Amino acid sequence: MTTMREHDVISWDGTKIRTWQTSGDGPPVLLCPGVGSGPESWPSLADRGGLLSWYMRGTMGSDRPVDERNISLDDHVSDAIAVLDDAGIERCVVMGWSMGVTIAAELALRHPERVAGLLLVAGAPGDSFDAMLPLIPRNLRRFVGLTGTKLLQQAGPVLDRVLHRVPVTDVTTFLLRHSGVIKPSSDPKAVANAVSRFLQHDWRWYFTLALALGETPRQDLGPIVCPITLLAGRDDLLATTESMTTPVGALPQARLRVLPCSHYLPLEAPEVVAAELDLLLGRVRSVDFATSEAFTSGSRSAT
């Protein structure tokens, strides 16, 4: 039976980062988390061995950095490398959800030797505020998204007083699943597990993290040559389909699926996430085998 363990690693600036990893058989897969998310957001992967991730700086057991400016994309990528190094993993498939897509993509761009394949779920590669709010005219999206997030950051103490007291019951879970935020296709127990911890964030810090990572410029994914799969939510209000599909459309090994889901696709279509991860792992094995065969053939020809 798969179990999960947590322990701490020290990142480049001395910040303690809480990592989590599932035990059991299975190829290693690194999950780059969305802001403030944990393993509860991935119910389809709870029984999969070899999955590892971490909690973002200042959330769920990870310390805030002494220098609170150290929450840029550079710092998150360094945390990902620290998690891989601590686990002794040289190369693996990397997943990312929401703003974690930006981290996963940057990891592949900076350290292609560490990334065997990419599964990007419901998130744009950089420029997250421009990717939000599909019902708003394109030239206003970044302004509205950025301004709204800054206002929520300032309202953090008020949100703490309210959200920390919200009971997670069958009634609140039902209302959430029928509010348009999370779709009714999600499992009520999975939603309750995810929401229970999520509501306890320090909300000013949460939106501080979101602002720092969300203002990362749009990333050019052209140099990425490993197999890549993109799962987009057709009804996602936080990452438009266009913002996700355009950067990967011309990549040679890209696979795209648009699902009738919201931003919380991992909770609404967990079986699809699991199946696509298995398919991606198979594609990676095929590419590695073909590369190995080509190298062997070339060596024989040279002799």
Side-chain angles (χ1 to χ4, degrees), residues 23-293:
S23 63
D25 296 331
V29 175
L30 176 71
L31 170 61
C32 298
V35 176
S37 66
E40 300 87 359
S41 299
W42 299 85
S44 63
L45 305 181
D47 295 327
R48 178 183 293 271
L51 183 67
L52 67 157
S53 185
W54 72 98
Y55 302 111
M56 278 193 177
R57 293 172 168 233
T59 70
M60 298 181 176
S62 290
D63 287 349
R64 291 190 191 185
V66 174
D67 184 343
E68 294 190 355
R69 295 172 298 179
N70 290 352
I71 52 172
S72 69
L73 179 58
D74 291 347
D75 301 301
H76 297 302
V77 171
S78 295
D79 293 345
I81 292 295
V83 171
L84 288 175
D85 288 347
D86 175 74
I89 297 171
E90 292 296 326
R91 181 173 177 267
C92 68
V93 164
V94 175
M95 301 172 57
W97 173 51
S98 190
M99 286 187 179
V101 165
T102 300
I103 302 171
E106 193 68 16
L107 184 62
L109 289 168
R110 297 188 190 187
H111 303 280
E113 75 286 354
R114 307 295 297 264
V115 180
L118 279 173
L119 178 57
L120 307 180
V121 181
D127 203 4
S128 296
F129 293 115
D130 184 66
M132 292 179 173
L133 308 172
L135 301 180
I136 291 178
R138 177 70 185 271
N139 61 333
L140 295 177
R141 289 177 190 169
R142 183 183 290 106
F143 172 77
V144 174
L146 186 59
T147 301
T149 304
K150 288 180 178 179
L151 290 174
L152 288 169
Q153 180 193 37
Q154 294 304 311
V158 176
L159 293 175
D160 289 346
R161 288 195 292 272
V162 174
L163 296 179
H164 291 180
R165 293 181 172 87
V166 173
V168 180
T169 65
D170 291 344
V171 174
T172 52
T173 301
F174 176 87
L175 292 174
L176 185 60
R177 293 173 56 245
H178 291 80
S179 66
V181 177
I182 301 176
K183 295 213 168 202
S185 57
S186 57
D187 179 77
K189 290 184 179 179
V191 172
N193 287 338
V195 169
S196 294
R197 291 185 77 188
F198 189 73
L199 290 177
Q200 299 307 310
H201 280 304
D202 175 331
W203 287 99
R204 175 170 284 177
W205 181 252
Y206 175 90
F207 288 112
T208 299
L209 288 171
L211 285 167
L213 187 53
E215 292 193 83
T216 301
R218 182 57 50 86
Q219 294 154 301
D220 176 11
L221 304 188
I224 296 177
V225 297
C226 67
I228 180 171
T229 297
L230 178 69
L231 301 180
R234 185 189 62 200
D235 304 315
D236 192 337
L237 298 180
L238 298 181
T240 65
T241 302
E242 177 189 10
S243 70
M244 292 181 277
T245 59
T246 301
V248 303
L251 298 181
Q253 296 203 62
R255 171 180 168 82
L256 167 67
R257 286 190 68 178
V258 179
L259 302 169
C261 295
S262 75
H263 191 65
Y264 295 91
L265 190 156
L267 288 170
E268 297 165 5
E271 70 289 343
V272 174
V273 173
E276 288 293 340
L277 176 57
D278 286 336
L279 184 59
L280 177 60
L281 288 166
R283 289 164 59 201
V284 167
R285 286 192 294 269
S286 296
V287 169
D288 287 347
F289 178 78
T291 302
S292 176
E293 285 293 298

